Amino acid sequence: ARFLVENKGYDKSDIRPRRIISLEIDGNSGVSIVDFLVAVDEKIVMALIFGPGSLVSRERHALSAAMLAAPCIIPYAAVSNGEDLELLDTHTGKVIGKGFDALFSKQEMLKRLPGLKFRVIDEDKRKKAERILFTIDVLTRRECDEFTCNRC
């Protein structure tokens, strides 16, 4: 968040931390957390997800979170391991930039805003995105809590 304020010109009020996405799949429930949502002119334009390891392995997670974290699909998703970052176009799923400098400044985002698409996710895509988040966040966490991490 500090990088966005100090280097990209966002106000602290533009950054919304820890958005919780409630999930329920086949009678099982859990949550996924988006680390930061970024808004300009009260429109959420970017979701940021931080996690360890390979960025490629977290792309689907970030895209799914960007589809579910707001009433409309968030146009951009960013995934970072704290050292590197990938910026993704949520509608195409393509990586459009690498490194923290790839993040749009507030001024750049304001210029892009009129051309951005804020669509409501269709039911089929919503269900797929929920399953991806549930698998990555909820089932993986349970596996760690119940088996892997508690064996030490």
Side-chain angles (χ1 to χ4, degrees):
R2 182 181 303 170
F3 179 83
L4 292 170
V5 172
E6 293 177 1
N7 297 82
K8 295 295 181 172
Y10 290 93
D11 298 321
K12 287 182 183 179
S13 62
D14 296 331
I15 302 165
R16 301 168 187 178
R18 301 188 54 79
R19 172 64 59 95
I20 295 172
I21 301 170
S22 297
L23 302 165
E24 186 163 333
I25 304 292
D26 301 330
N28 295 300
S29 60
V31 297
S32 179
I33 299 173
V34 178
D35 295 299
F36 297 105
L37 295 179
V38 178
V40 293
D41 282 352
E42 296 303 314
K43 292 187 186 252
I44 299 172
V45 293
M46 186 168 47
L48 286 95
I49 305 285
F50 291 88
S54 167
L55 298 181
V56 172
S57 66
R58 299 211 172 261
E59 288 174 5
R60 291 296 315 154
H61 177 247
L63 291 168
S64 296
M67 291 178 189
L68 299 173
C72 294
I73 297 171
I74 300 168
Y76 298 106
V79 60
S80 177
N81 58 14
E83 295 176 14
D84 204 4
L85 178 137
E86 286 184 351
L87 180 63
L88 302 126
D89 178 315
T90 305
H91 296 293
T92 66
K94 295 188 188 285
V95 175
I96 58 171
K98 292 188 177 202
F100 286 91
D101 288 336
L103 293 173
F104 300 117
S105 70
K106 183 174 182 175
Q107 290 306 312
E108 291 169 327
M109 195 65 84
L110 284 167
K111 288 178 187 172
R112 291 175 168 272
L113 193 60
L116 295 179
K117 298 173 187 167
F118 295 91
R119 298 183 187 139
V120 175
I121 189 169
D122 68 55
E123 187 66 16
D124 185 51
K125 282 186 179 181
R126 184 187 61 76
K127 286 181 179 179
K128 288 176 182 176
E130 286 175 344
R131 284 199 178 275
I132 289 167
L133 285 184
F134 192 85
T135 300
I136 292 171
D137 283 341
V138 179
L139 294 181
T140 302
R141 191 176 309 121
R142 283 185 191 160
E143 176 73 18
C144 181
D145 290 347
E146 294 174 10
F147 302 106
T148 310
C149 300
N150 286 332
R151 289 190 179 189
C152 299

